[in-house]
Amino acid sequence: MTQKLYIKTYGCQMNTYDSEQISNLLSFHGYALSETPEDADVVILNTCHIREKATEKVYSDLGRLKPFKQRKEAKLEKMILAVAGCTAQAEGAEIMRRIPYVDLVLGPQTYHRLPEMLAQLRRKSSHRQKRRLVETDFPIESKFDFLPEQQTISQGSSAFLTIQEGCDKFCTFCCVPYTRGAEFSRPSSAILQEARTLISKGVQEITLLGQNVNAYHGKGRSDTEEWGLGRLLLEIAEIPNLKRLRYTTSHPRDVDEELILAHKNIPILMPFLHLPVQSGSDVILKAMNRGHTSDFYRKIIDDLRKARPEIAFSSDFIVGFPGETNEDFAQTLKLINDVDFAQAFSFSYSIRPGTPAGSMSSQISQHEKDERLQTLQHLVREQQIRFNTLWVNKTTSVLFDRLGRHDNQYIGRSPYLQPIHVKSPENVLGKILPVKINSIFPNSLEGHLL
Ligand code: SAH
Ligand code: SF4
Ligand code: F3S
């Protein structure tokens, strides 16, 4: 009999990819996705730990799930409640202690063993024993070797493909090296195979994923050959019928000559790059252990612009890192002005327990952080509006991937990931079409099909 599976995904695209893999894997074991947790047999929260708020959200959602689980159990049915992902990895024991009705905690590197874990939980419970499981080790085997290749879930026209996992950079503010483990690159043959499968199912746009995607150093065609991201992009771009290629998230330190050349030589590599810099102050960059200066970042931006003049950039910023002075913050604003971003994400520094910055004594007050965040967001907002305004009355290509809220409205993405909506009497989902932009809205652009 089909069992109902509900998955809620928090955090970054890597978690989105993992959730897709989990539903794909469990579909081979008789589970079908359910839209709501209410009557599900298995509920999985695939969690994020990057900031305190992300972690708090997990605990409050767990609270909301309690009545559903109780109702199901009142009917003498079982709901297995599982916490997966980065918070699970970081706080497994704590989750088990605080939330007694959680049945299973599993980290991001063990979910290929889920069918076995679920079977184990069901077996134990049939003996009326209350059994709970925590699986947060970093197994020697790679989950990728155990996941079924065939996708049973529909991918649409745009797909993620994880090529690299984990991080060895240990930025002092960040929990990822602890939640995702050491850096690991998949062999190129497995990646090319997965890309071919996706494209054969109608995928036109692939985004290669990794916490540190351009640290990629996977096995090439032979055992002695190692490929960097630049080479891998070249090979993937050769697959017929692929229309768009992207990668995220990269680190400035790992942008090499080969990658810059890839931006010059691969037309389907989209001219938009998310390249987090976090701060424009060299003192703060050093305290963050980012391993580069602000001028190094400027130089990379210049080199990429020379290689691909139409390229635009987005970035991540943290304000209020411990010890950040007004002068340091001014340096960040200066960097933003120098680079001129098409988009940026910015965050107020959040203490992550166990990270070096978490125990630094020079923490900044919340008030100060809030003020700096507002100032920074105002500046990047202006840049974003300026960038979008440049597109009014110009034509861009849009890959349509969802329906809008209004009748006959379709939404897609430009090469710069701008959400663009049009009206069309004809169904344009899954198509890449030229669109002339009419006007800009706060979070999207509006245009008409040519
Ligand atoms: N691997 C990527 C970032 C992954 S985390 C990189 O190296 O840039 C995504 C973003 O979350 C980071 O770029 C950073 O801006 C933000 N972030 C990470 N830890 C944070 C913390 N403790 N407080 C606030 N923001 C944080
Ligand atoms: Fe975190 Fe730094 Fe690794 Fe990015 S490079 S995941 S910010 S430790
Ligand atoms: Fe969050 Fe883990 Fe991604 S902490 S941002 S889900 S790598």
Side-chain angles (χ1 to χ4, degrees), residues 118-134:
L118 295 176
Q120 204 178 336
L121 284 168
R122 293 209 181 279
R123 249 193 331 269
K124 300 291 182 196
S125 67
S126 66
H127 293 118
R128 297 195 177 280
Q129 267 175 296
K130 174 109 178 107
R131 247 323 156 120
R132 309 172 80 203
L133 271 182
V134 180

Side-chain angles (χ1 to χ4, degrees), residues 59 87-99 105 132 134 136:
Y59 286 103
T87 305
Q89 186 67 44
E91 297 198 348
E94 170 80 358
I95 294 169
M96 281 301 195
R97 192 183 59 77
R98 271 176 67 180
I99 317 285
V105 163
R132 309 172 80 203
V134 180
T136 48

Side-chain angles (χ1 to χ4, degrees), residues 59-105:
Y59 286 103
S60 70
D61 282 357
L62 281 170
R64 262 194 285 273
L65 286 166
K66 189 178 181 183
F68 297 146
K69 191 168 155 97
Q70 284 173 332
R71 232 172 284 156
K72 196 146 167 94
E73 279 167 1
K75 290 191 272 176
L76 297 178
E77 292 169 11
K78 188 164 174 70
M79 174 190 280
I80 294 181
L81 179 54
V83 184
C86 292
T87 305
Q89 186 67 44
E91 297 198 348
E94 170 80 358
I95 294 169
M96 281 301 195
R97 192 183 59 77
R98 271 176 67 180
I99 317 285
Y101 50 91
V102 165
D103 303 289
L104 172 62
V105 163

Side-chain angles (χ1 to χ4, degrees), residues 10-12 14-15 47-50 86 175-176 179-180 211:
Y10 310 68
C12 64
M14 307 270 314
N15 261 13
T47 62
C48 173
H49 197 57
I50 200 76
C86 292
C175 65
V176 170
T179 65
R180 290 269 170 176
Q211 267 88 21

